[in-house]
């Protein structure tokens, strides 16, 4: 479903003649990450229960790029207690991100939505390295003990992407499926509008997106 929503969003932007590059990949230069950045990442890794030295991403994929602005349309598995832990890092209070406060609220509100897909073993447990770095995951749905190693890895990688995109000179805009848009006299959720948007909704969504670039 996430790919359908993203595809519909990109289609709407093309109709609105928004000039963007999709499926942009950014390689991270390790020399850009100074001691303060390393300390922020280690703090988050430690808060998530990470073991040993924190791993570093070498690159990241983004849904689109407009000049020096990168966009990620996050799926429901990015909104949970572990992402909330990462968002509470000093990193987010010292470096301003337009989405951070809203994402904290969404992580508290929509964890049940995360569970609908996130309890699958491949997501809950994550890849084998998640168990190496965060410990063997508990049974799906059991947050005692280690909890969800896969969710923790996703939360840590999200924080890495936030930091690395900034120090590489880009502005990052994260789009949540739970964002609301005023249309037809009422607020509607973005993900619900993107399932099968009519002509009026497509125009509203395009204008909503363009305001993010202002």
């Amino acid at each position: 479903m996430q790919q359908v929503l993203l595809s519909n969003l990109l289609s709407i932007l093309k109709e609105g003649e928004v000039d963007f590059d999709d499926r942009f990949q950014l390689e991270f230069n390790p020399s850009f990450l100074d001691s303060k950045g390393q300390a922020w990442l280690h703090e988050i890794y430690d808060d998530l229960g990470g073991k040993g030295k924190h791993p570093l991403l070498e690159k990241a994929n983004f849904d689109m790029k407009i000049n020096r602005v990168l966009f990620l349309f996050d799926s429901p598995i990015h909104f949970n207690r572990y992402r909330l832990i990462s968002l509470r890092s000093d990193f987010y209070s010292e470096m301003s991100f337009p989405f951070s406060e809203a994402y904290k609220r969404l992580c508290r509100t929509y964890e049940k939505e995360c569970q609908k897909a996130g309890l699958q073993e491949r997501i809950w447990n994550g890849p084998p390295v998640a168990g190496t770095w965060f410990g063997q995951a508990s049974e799906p749905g059991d947050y005692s003990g280690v909890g969800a190693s896969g969710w923790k890895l996703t939360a840590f990688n999200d924080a890495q992407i936030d930091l690395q995109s900034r120090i590489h000179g880009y502005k990052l805009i994260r789009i949540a499926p739970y964002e609301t848009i005023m249309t037809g006299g009422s607020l509607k959720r973005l993900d619900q509008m993107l399932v099968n948007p009519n002509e009026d909704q497509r125009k509203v969504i395009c204008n909503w997106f363009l305001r993010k670039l202002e």
Side-chain angles (χ1 to χ4, degrees):
M1 177 59 75
Q2 182 70 13
Q3 285 303 312
V4 172
L5 302 183
L6 176 59
S7 177
N8 286 345
L9 175 59
L10 296 180
S11 173
I12 289 169
L13 299 182
K14 288 177 182 177
E15 290 174 7
E17 299 183 346
V18 178
D19 187 16
F20 63 88
D21 298 317
D22 60 346
R23 294 190 293 273
F24 175 73
Q25 185 178 86
L26 176 62
E27 293 188 3
F28 299 143
N29 186 333
S31 67
F32 287 10
L33 190 62
D34 61 14
S35 58
K36 190 168 188 178
Q38 290 277 12
W40 278 331
L41 291 181
H42 186 74
E43 171 208 3
I44 295 169
Y45 185 66
D46 188 60
D47 287 346
L48 290 169
K51 301 177 179 180
K53 181 176 173 56
H54 60 269
L56 293 176
L57 291 173
E58 296 180 352
K59 58 189 176 182
N61 295 316
F62 297 85
D63 295 318
M64 69 184 97
K65 179 178 79 75
I66 300 176
N67 298 321
R68 300 295 293 183
V69 183
L70 303 175
F71 292 84
L72 280 172
F73 187 9
D74 286 321
S75 67
I77 64 171
H78 293 264
F79 299 89
N80 55 65
R81 66 190 66 197
Y82 303 119
R83 180 57 167 140
L84 180 58
I85 288 172
S86 73
L87 288 164
R88 286 174 172 163
S89 164
D90 290 342
F91 160 54
Y92 289 95
S93 60
E94 293 190 38
M95 299 183 74
S96 176
F97 287 86
F99 56 81
S100 60
E101 289 304 315
Y103 264 50
K104 289 178 186 177
R105 176 177 54 81
L106 295 175
C107 285
R108 289 190 292 265
T109 304
Y110 288 104
E111 186 171 83
K112 287 185 178 179
E113 294 287 326
C114 174
Q115 290 175 344
K116 290 180 180 178
L119 292 184
Q120 299 176 53
E121 283 195 4
R122 65 180 181 84
I123 299 175
W124 179 269
N125 295 344
V129 293
T132 301
W133 292 329
F134 296 101
Q136 191 64 38
S138 306
E139 288 297 311
D142 180 6
Y143 296 101
S144 63
V146 171
S149 299
W151 291 17
K152 289 181 178 182
L153 179 59
T154 298
F156 180 61
N157 285 343
D158 280 349
Q160 288 199 69
I161 290 168
D162 294 344
L163 174 58
Q164 291 280 16
S165 61
R166 176 64 60 86
I167 64 178
H168 280 74
Y170 290 89
K171 177 181 179 180
L172 174 62
I173 295 179
R174 287 185 177 271
I175 298 173
Y178 312 115
E179 291 195 39
T180 54
I181 303 174
M182 179 63 71
T183 177
S186 63
L187 288 172
K188 291 185 171 57
R189 265 176 38 176
L190 176 63
D191 58 346
Q192 295 168 351
M193 291 178 67
L194 283 173
V195 172
N196 187 26
N198 59 37
E199 185 176 348
D200 288 341
Q201 289 175 329
R202 296 175 83 87
K203 292 178 181 177
V204 168
I205 291 170
C206 187
N207 289 333
W208 159 84
F209 180 87
L210 290 174
R211 286 195 295 272
K212 290 185 174 292
L213 296 174
E214 296 174 353

